[in-house]
Amino acid sequence: MTETRSVIVEREMPHPPEKLWRALTQPHLIAEWLMKNDFVPRVGHRFNLRGDWGGVLDCEVLTVEPNRSLSYSWDFAHDDPAYALKSVVTFTLTPSAKGTHLRMEQIGFRPEQKQAFGGAKAGWQQFFAKLEEVAARAD
């Protein structure tokens, strides 16, 4: 078994879990902070995330616990193994005194995928900043 690395981003957000949940699970809101998609919050649903950069991620919903946890596969087919990615993204929402502690973990980066790993580390910081903006106005 090849050892893999994870990207973890955690942030306190001044919104209740229900508000963040909407931003994580409603396709029009996901498109605002992450990518265009055909997401449905149902275990087993296969969907795509389409990046502005032209790439398409193949995904499948793995777990749905409303207002608590969401995970899905996040796979990117590429001829270059350094970019071909099979990973899982998990969001965990925990109520906190300030709103919600949101934790995202993306697992599955192989040692030779340094650029993909670095891109994910930077990308998720940007996604979270946009997510907070979207959640602030989501009702």
Side-chain angles (χ1 to χ4, degrees):
M1 179 87 188
T2 305
E3 193 169 313
T4 60
R5 298 194 296 172
S6 300
V7 171
I8 297 172
V9 178
E10 297 185 73
R11 191 171 293 177
E12 284 291 324
M13 298 213 179
H15 311 292
E18 299 77 20
K19 201 167 202 186
L20 285 172
W21 185 256
R22 285 192 294 275
L24 290 172
T25 59
Q26 293 183 359
H28 69 286
L29 297 176
I30 296 168
E32 287 186 46
W33 70 269
L34 186 60
M35 292 179 226
K36 294 178 184 125
N37 65 91
D38 53 342
F39 180 82
V40 175
R42 185 179 66 240
V43 172
H45 176 71
R46 293 180 179 278
F47 66 101
N48 294 121
L49 291 170
R50 294 174 294 287
D52 292 338
W53 41 275
V56 176
L57 299 164
D58 297 310
C59 306
E60 181 180 348
V61 179
L62 303 173
T63 61
V64 176
E65 293 178 55
N67 305 317
R68 296 184 50 208
S69 178
L70 172 68
S71 70
Y72 43 83
S73 61
W74 175 288
D75 298 342
F76 182 61
H78 197 283
D79 292 338
D80 183 340
Y83 295 99
L85 182 63
K86 288 204 173 293
S87 67
V88 173
V89 172
T90 302
F91 296 96
T92 306
L93 296 80
T94 307
S96 68
K98 295 179 181 174
T100 303
H101 180 87
L102 180 62
R103 180 181 196 272
M104 185 289 310
E105 181 174 15
Q106 183 176 9
I107 62 170
F109 295 93
R110 296 185 314 278
E112 70 273 15
Q113 295 183 307
K114 289 179 175 56
Q115 270 191 292
F117 179 77
K121 281 179 77 167
W124 281 111
Q125 293 293 341
Q126 294 171 353
F127 291 146
F128 261 45
K130 288 183 191 172
L131 172 62
E132 194 159 1
E133 291 171 16
V134 169
R137 59 178 195 275
D139 282 317

